[in-house]
Amino acid sequence: MSVSQQVFLRDAMRRLNLTRDVFAARIGVKRRALDTWLLPEGSQEFRGMPEVVQRFVTEIVENEALLAKYAQNSQGGPLRDRIARDGKHQLISVEQFTRDSVEELVRIADMMQPIARRQKVSRVLEGAVLGNLFFEASTRTRVSFGAAFCRLGGSVCDTTGFTFSSMAKGESIYDTSRVMSGYVDAMVIRHPEQGSVAEFAAATNIPVVNGGDGAGEHPSQALLDLYTILTEFSRLGKLLDGAHIAITGDLKYGRTVHSLMKMLSLYRGLKFTLISPPGLEMPTDIIEYVAARGNHVIEQTNSMGEGLKGADVIYATRVQKERFSDEQLEGYSADFQINKALIDQYAKEDVIIMHPLPRDSREDAHDLSVDLNADSRLAIFRQADNGIPVRMAIFAVLLGVENLVQHSMRDVTWSPPSHIGPEDAVFHGMY
Ligand code: ASP
């Protein structure tokens, strides 16, 4: 097998759109056996899957793929051409994806896991230079894009803030973009104005990734959020089609949830519960976009308890005060804090709690409380960790090297810790 057993099986379940239980039944094995085959190879309880099962799974997947191909008359070709925007290999909006293309990217992210988990190294981007241009505050996005590029063997040049850039001297987006394209092979750009990253992208032919444009979009965050939901659901034996997603907080200015809702609309029959303080509701253009696709139900409420009931995913967001014009924070009372008491009272036992981070941990912030840190339903650190394989996948696709990665992998020469943080001990080896 050219990919790991875990990647092979997860890919098969995703392609067949089956939960672990149904998949185990379909291939005639016990769920417990399947669980051990799905563990990472280094973990204690990992077991190798018999070859006959592997052949059987390959056969089912290939038959399904063949049928799907006839049914959809799929266009084929490299993924970067299928998601291209104006003929360029750039990622500006989640609207560039179909369900097929996004799931292909998810499979590539799965393939990156041994590198992201520091078991393997690769040099497929050796010699390539990334320009990380961040004209707005960032920690996770900037560092994880940089780390993802480095882990594929490339190098990174960073610039942060307006004050230290030539834009503070009145330089145009066009000039900055054109000049940078002469220096680097790809750019990630974050800028406070909606639509500005598309302007950068129009001025160059090198790959550009939108790292957040004002209240507009944050496509790489939506991809890693989708990846997190699919991975957690696989562990929990759930499917995304038909799931209930509750989204809370500042839905007006939160670009992560704008991208996430559009991305999730590629799935079928979702129920969205949108819970926000008065004045910070989800923009109508996003609601209309989602309503026009996939047979979804969208409910809006100001009541946290009611909104969380029955949700499979609770996605909390920070109030984006930096984008406020004349909004007040009066409606944003303590009722909007997601904390352990609220979750225990209203949420399902197998809910997953997500947040794009940073969360405002100050007491009066009414964001996602730290009292959930030891609760295994809190997926925020697993979610943030997923930023690496997903951003590696984005670069590999945009630079056209995804097919070289698998064979380029070598063992790491140093010894990373088995758990990178205290809270992931419960889940270590589970996915
Ligand atoms: N880090 C995310 C963003 O850049 C979320 C946030 O800042 O609240 O949009």
Side-chain angles (χ1 to χ4, degrees):
M1 216 177 343
S2 61
V3 293
S4 76
Q5 180 174 297
Q6 186 191 44
V7 167
F8 171 80
L9 287 169
R10 274 170 48 175
D11 180 38
M13 285 189 287
R14 234 181 254 129
R15 285 182 198 243
L16 300 168
N17 202 22
L18 300 178
T19 62
R20 278 195 195 195
D21 281 329
V22 181
F23 181 69
R26 171 102 185 254
I27 61 173
V29 301
K30 293 226 161 62
R31 162 72 196 253
R32 181 68 206 133
L34 177 63
D35 284 345
T36 60
W37 300 342
L38 274 158
L39 293 170
E41 260 151 55
S43 75
Q44 243 180 10
E45 289 180 43
F46 168 82
R47 296 287 174 273
M49 151 182 70
E51 218 186 300
V52 54
V53 178
Q54 187 201 321
R55 275 205 303 274
F56 183 48
V57 173
T58 310
E59 216 167 277
I60 310 177
V61 170
E62 276 171 6
N63 281 344
E64 292 273 334
L66 217 60
L67 285 177
K69 211 166 177 179
Y70 288 134
Q72 294 165 6
N73 192 16
S74 128
Q75 304 148 352
L79 181 54
R80 66 177 183 169
D81 291 343
R82 279 178 280 135
I83 61 168
R85 189 171 174 275
D86 299 332
K88 297 183 192 181
H89 301 138
Q90 303 178 329
L91 175 55
I92 309 302
S93 163
V94 295
E95 293 182 27
Q96 293 168 240
F97 285 94
T98 60
R99 178 163 174 170
D100 275 349
S101 59
V102 83
E103 291 189 346
E104 200 168 324
L105 193 121
V106 164
R107 287 196 284 278
I108 297 168
D110 264 348
M111 182 177 72
M112 300 295 184
Q113 282 290 13
I115 308 176
R117 291 191 184 143
R118 292 90 145 157
Q119 292 153 348
K120 299 278 180 190
V121 288
S122 168
R123 309 286 305 160
V124 284
L125 287 187
E126 190 161 18
V129 179
L130 172 71
N132 238 347
L133 311 185
F134 279 68
F135 301 103
E136 203 188 43
S138 173
T139 309
R140 252 155 305 277
T141 308
R142 186 170 58 82
V143 175
S144 66
F145 265 120
F149 207 79
C150 290
R151 287 195 186 279
L152 287 173
S155 319
V156 181
C157 296
D158 267 329
T159 156
T160 46
F162 248 101
T163 336
F164 298 108
S165 79
S166 285
M167 287 202 151
K169 299 180 185 170
E171 188 174 50
S172 68
I173 286 183
Y174 183 90
D175 284 5
T176 309
S177 178
R178 171 61 189 83
V179 170
M180 287 301 119
S181 314
Y183 301 163
V184 299
D185 303 292
M187 288 191 274
V188 178
I189 296 159
R190 171 170 288 185
H191 193 283
E193 271 165 46
Q194 190 162 344
S196 54
V197 181
E199 244 185 273
F200 268 97
T204 177
N205 289 331
I206 69 167
V208 170
V209 180
N210 182 359
D213 61 325
E217 279 218 38
H218 196 340
S220 67
Q221 178 73 45
L223 287 167
L224 78 90
D225 290 341
L226 174 69
Y227 183 80
T228 303
I229 295 172
L230 291 174
T231 311
E232 298 278 322
F233 274 20
S234 158
R235 175 174 62 75
L236 295 166
K238 292 184 177 185
L239 289 179
L240 182 46
D241 287 317
H244 177 178
I245 318 283
I247 307 183
T248 75
D250 182 349
L251 311 187
K252 179 174 182 183
Y253 292 114
R255 57 191 170 201
T256 66
V257 289
H258 299 165
S259 290
L260 180 62
M261 269 198 74
K262 288 203 233 172
M263 179 122 273
L264 291 177
S265 73
L266 295 173
Y267 286 76
R268 284 189 299 270
L270 297 188
K271 176 175 171 186
F272 291 98
T273 310
L274 307 178
I275 314 155
S276 59
L280 295 180
E281 285 89 2
M282 183 65 76
T284 41
D285 60 311
I286 310 271
I287 296 192
E288 280 164 15
Y289 181 96
V290 175
R293 291 165 173 80
N295 207 8
H296 306 298
V297 174
I298 305 172
E299 287 173 2
Q300 302 198 63
T301 170
N302 299 129
S303 155
M304 194 64 118
E306 282 310 307
L308 299 188
K309 274 188 197 158
D312 297 295
V313 176
I314 296 172
Y315 193 103
T317 61
R318 177 182 67 87
V319 173
Q320 314 276 303
K321 281 186 214 149
E322 67 274 32
R323 305 199 198 289
F324 276 25
S325 43
D326 49 5
E327 289 84 356
Q328 305 299 324
L329 261 185
E330 273 144 31
Y332 207 62
S333 65
D335 301 345
F336 281 93
Q337 188 189 51
I338 306 260
N339 53 36
K340 186 141 178 62
L342 192 82
I343 293 294
D344 286 343
Q345 187 178 354
Y346 294 105
K348 292 210 291 203
E349 281 196 359
D350 62 355
V351 71
I352 55 166
I353 304 163
M354 299 173 64
H355 193 299
L357 301 178
R359 57 177 157 168
D360 191 339
S361 300
R362 289 169 292 198
E363 235 169 62
D364 59 347
H366 309 150
D367 199 329
L368 174 61
S369 169
V370 293
D371 73 357
L372 280 158
N373 278 11
D375 193 313
S376 58
R377 291 171 291 185
L378 189 77
I380 58 173
F381 298 113
R382 304 193 288 278
Q383 178 186 1
D385 291 345
N386 286 335
I388 296 289
V390 169
R391 290 181 169 125
M392 288 170 75
I394 292 171
F395 287 133
V397 167
L398 293 181
L399 290 149
V401 296
E402 72 270 34
N403 294 329
L404 304 179
V405 174
Q406 192 64 49
H407 293 293
S408 72
M409 288 191 203
R410 286 180 288 111
D411 289 344
V412 294
T413 48
W414 71 95
S415 321
S418 62
H419 305 71
I420 53 169
E423 82 297 318
D424 55 358
V426 188
F427 282 96
H428 181 66
M430 283 300 287
Y431 68 105

